[in-house]
Amino acid sequence: MKVFTIGYGGRNREDFLGIMRANGIRTIVDCRLRPDRASMGIWVKAKTSDKGIVKWLSEAGIGYRSLVELGNVFLDFEDWQDRYARMLEACGELLTGRLTGIPEPYCLLCAEKHVAECHRQQIADYLVRRKGAEVSHLE
């Protein structure tokens, strides 16, 4: 299983798509808790697939899945990294269950540009330990 991760912070659509194409990404897996916030500009998951991130990814031939269950519910806590990691250890199989069958390679998407500042690091670590995934962080 080949998995990538990326944060869209500070990126424009063209640069983002260039990175996706260069790495052969077939599907974006959005692991944001609230991908529907209008303040996210081009990165918003609109109510219909003819708008927002779903539309422009589709036009580029890249699939999109939103897995809000992987969102960081602990972001407001100072120790969110520890809390999120503990949640994955306790419920990881349930939380990552919908990753099964997603066309690979897929890329976990969140807002933070640097993986060290984002919960996608914990998701990636879990996939390495429990699923034998090979992970590359695109920064």
Side-chain angles (χ1 to χ4, degrees), residues 8-9 17 23 27 32 34-35 50 58 64-66 73 97 99-100 108-109 115 123:
Y8 63 78
L17 289 174
N23 288 282
T27 311
R32 297 177 290 171
R34 292 292 314 272
D50 62 336
S58 176
Y64 174 89
R65 295 276 182 91
S66 175
V73 297
L99 290 171
T100 303
L108 300 172
L109 171 77
V115 71
I123 299 168

Side-chain angles (χ1 to χ4, degrees), residues 6 10-11 14 21 23 27 42 53 81 92 98 123 128:
I6 194 166
R11 300 182 197 280
E14 293 73 28
R21 288 183 184 116
N23 288 282
T27 311
I42 66 165
I53 190 172
Q81 291 174 318
R98 289 200 302 154
I123 299 168
V128 168

